[in-house]
Each structure stands twice: as structure tokens, then as C-alpha cells.
Amino acid sequence: HNANIGAYTTPNTSGVVSIFDMKGSLVISMTLNSGNRELSCSLNTTNLPMGTYIVKVNTVTGISSSKFIVVK
């Protein structure tokens, strides 16, 4: 089971993707490098317990966040 995460930013920069559980605890953090303008990754959710999570993407162009739900 995978969740695809993506964001647009300035070419050839990096960004940090952080996954938080609903208690606010950091579950996963990774640094991604953009090629053209897109940061993207496929997150394996197999080891995440069922529940709701917040994904935050922090780049030089700003911060965005959204919610996703792991269902098994």
C-alpha cells in the first residue's frame, strides 16, 4: 500500500516531507530533491497503523499540508 506525495517548488531545490499522527507525533521525515519543479515520492504505508495522518511539505516556496487516512 502506497501513498503518493507531491509538491511543486523552485527547480533544483530540496524540501522536507513530514508525516504526523493525530497526536502530533512525528512518524516519518524525509528530504526530497526536486529535479524540474516537482518533489514527489511514494510512501509505503504498510507499517503505519490504521488512522488519520497529516503530511506537511516544507519547501522554499512555502509550506503545505493535507490529511490522509490509512485503511487496512
Side-chain angles (χ1 to χ4, degrees), residues 1 3 5 7 11-12 14 17 20-21 23 25 30 33 35 38 47-48 52-55 64 66-67:
H1 299 89
I5 300 169
N12 301 313
S14 63
V17 175
F20 298 91
D21 64 18
K23 295 177 187 175
S25 299
M30 63 186 98
N33 294 314
E38 184 177 9
N47 293 327
L48 292 177
T52 304
Y53 296 85
I54 301 295
V55 58
S64 64
S66 62
K67 176 172 68 169

Side-chain angles (χ1 to χ4, degrees), residues 8-72:
Y8 290 99
T9 186
T10 305
N12 301 313
T13 60
S14 63
V16 176
V17 175
S18 304
I19 310 293
F20 298 91
D21 64 18
M22 293 309 289
K23 295 177 187 175
S25 299
L26 180 65
V27 178
I28 298 170
S29 181
M30 63 186 98
T31 300
L32 303 176
N33 294 314
S34 71
N36 188 7
R37 286 197 56 195
E38 184 177 9
L39 294 169
S40 64
C41 70
S42 182
L43 174 68
N44 185 336
T45 61
T46 302
N47 293 327
L48 292 177
M50 284 182 21
T52 304
Y53 296 85
I54 301 295
V55 58
K56 181 173 105 174
V57 181
N58 188 348
T59 68
V60 295
T61 56
I63 299 171
S64 64
S65 62
S66 62
K67 176 172 68 169
F68 72 95
I69 300 171
V70 174
V71 179
K72 297 186 179 185

